[in-house]
């Protein structure tokens, strides 16, 4: 009964490739998020969707494109991967206004 | 942009000791949250605080929302080995729906 799930758990790829990370939540939440955690463990929000609509778009390269097919799913597609994209990416969800956010287990992306 | 200053950066304590960590900001926050992250996992919410001055407990954990709304602390009493992990504070402004995270406090417990 995983609340927020992400696939894959690990992703190793070459520079220049395109990859996607999938996220699903079964909490019935309307709002979903993508965060990036760097090597120093700093967590920074990238995107937020509310009921399939983009509401937060931090300063993220446009190589990153979130897609929300329905309010239970928020996928992250990354084009032309770069070395600096290596990080752990977390999906999260909450009720609208985002006070209590529930995080997925993370996807560790390594770009070689 | 808004920043949270979390301290200490890391702690290495003896099992059974009490632990205290805090977050401060130059900005006012409407909500303070404390999360714990175990290795290889996502952050898990420990305590949420919604009112200035609020003091909330969750088992051996106690957190307070500072009266100025610019700070919060988390105490862990009688630490045990499974308390090991990274503790993050996070703040949310009144009209924003994004969380701003502190840099984390790494807790190690010596048994």
């Amino acid at each position: 009964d995983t609340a927020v799930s992400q696939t894959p758990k690990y992703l190793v790829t070459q520079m220049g490739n395109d990859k996607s990370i999938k996220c699903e939540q079964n909490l019935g939440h309307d709002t979903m998020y993508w965060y990036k955690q760097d090597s120093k463990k700093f967590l920074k929000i990238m995107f937020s969707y509310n009921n399939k609509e983009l509401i937060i778009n931090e300063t993220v390269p446009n190589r990153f494109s979130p897609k929300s097919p329905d309010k239970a799913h928020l996928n992250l597609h990354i084009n032309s991967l770069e070395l600096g994209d290596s990080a752990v990416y977390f999906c999260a969800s909450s009720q609208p206004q985002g006070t209590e956010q529930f995080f997925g287990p993370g996807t560790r992306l390594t770009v070689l | 942009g808004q920043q949270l200053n979390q301290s200490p950066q890391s702690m290495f304590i003896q099992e059974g000791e009490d632990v205290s960590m805090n977050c401060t900001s130059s900005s006012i926050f409407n909500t303070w949250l404390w999360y714990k992250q175990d290795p290889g996992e996502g952050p898990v919410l420990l305590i949420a605080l919604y009112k200035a001055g609020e003091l909330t407990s969750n088992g051996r954990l106690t957190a307070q929302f500072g009266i100025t709304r610019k700070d919060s602390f988390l105490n862990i009493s009688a630490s045990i080995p499974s308390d090991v992990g990274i503790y993050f504070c996070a703040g949310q402004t009144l009209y924003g729906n994004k969380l701003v995270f502190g840099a984390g406090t790494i807790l190690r417990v010596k048994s």
Side-chain angles (χ1 to χ4, degrees):
Chain A
D1 283 7
T2 307
V4 182
S5 59
Q6 294 179 227
T7 53
K9 176 79 170 168
Y10 301 97
L11 186 52
V12 181
T13 188
Q14 299 284 335
M15 271 176 55
N17 283 350
D18 303 338
K19 290 292 178 187
S20 291
I21 307 172
K22 294 186 176 182
C23 177
E24 176 180 2
Q25 55 94 6
N26 62 8
L27 296 168
H29 289 159
D30 287 338
T31 308
M32 296 184 73
Y33 311 81
W34 278 108
Y35 285 84
K36 180 180 181 181
Q37 187 173 47
D38 62 24
S39 58
K40 294 184 178 177
K41 306 299 183 186
F42 188 67
L43 270 164
K44 192 167 189 330
I45 190 163
M46 301 171 68
F47 301 102
S48 173
Y49 268 72
N50 185 52
N51 205 8
K52 303 195 294 174
E53 192 174 323
L54 181 67
I55 53 172
I56 293 176
N57 184 352
E58 293 292 291
T59 310
V60 176
N62 58 14
R63 298 181 294 103
F64 290 78
S65 53
K67 284 191 171 46
S68 182
D70 56 61
K71 71 176 191 178
H73 295 84
L74 181 63
N75 304 323
L76 184 65
H77 188 75
I78 316 169
N79 288 330
S80 303
L81 279 155
E82 300 177 357
L83 292 176
D85 297 332
S86 295
V88 181
Y89 292 85
F90 287 101
C91 176
S93 73
S94 74
Q95 296 292 1
Q97 304 311 313
T99 299
E100 295 182 22
Q101 296 183 17
F102 295 83
F103 284 78
T107 295
R108 180 175 292 277
L109 171 65
T110 303
V111 182
L112 303 174
Chain B
Q2 293 152 335
Q3 279 189 315
L4 295 183
N5 300 308
Q6 186 171 349
S7 65
Q9 190 174 11
S10 65
M11 305 178 77
F12 191 12
I13 61 167
Q14 187 71 42
E15 182 178 358
E17 286 183 0
D18 296 344
V19 170
S20 186
M21 58 192 81
N22 69 81
C23 268
T24 60
S25 174
S26 56
S27 304
I28 288 175
F29 286 94
N30 202 51
T31 304
W32 284 92
L33 301 158
W34 285 92
Y35 284 85
K36 183 193 177 199
Q37 185 177 18
D38 289 328
E41 302 291 332
V44 173
L45 182 64
L46 298 173
I47 292 180
L49 301 157
Y50 299 100
K51 287 184 190 174
E54 180 182 352
L55 184 72
T56 296
S57 292
N58 178 5
R60 294 178 295 107
L61 277 59
T62 302
Q64 184 155 31
F65 190 146
I67 200 76
T68 63
R69 296 165 66 191
K70 294 183 178 181
D71 63 316
S72 177
F73 72 73
L74 175 71
N75 287 342
I76 305 172
S77 62
S79 58
I80 59 177
S82 61
D83 290 335
V84 163
I86 306 176
Y87 291 79
F88 291 98
C89 63
Q92 185 187 37
T93 56
L94 180 60
Y95 298 108
N97 56 359
K98 69 175 185 180
L99 291 181
V100 177
F101 280 82
T105 295
I106 299 171
L107 179 63
R108 297 184 180 92
V109 179
K110 189 167 46 175
S111 53

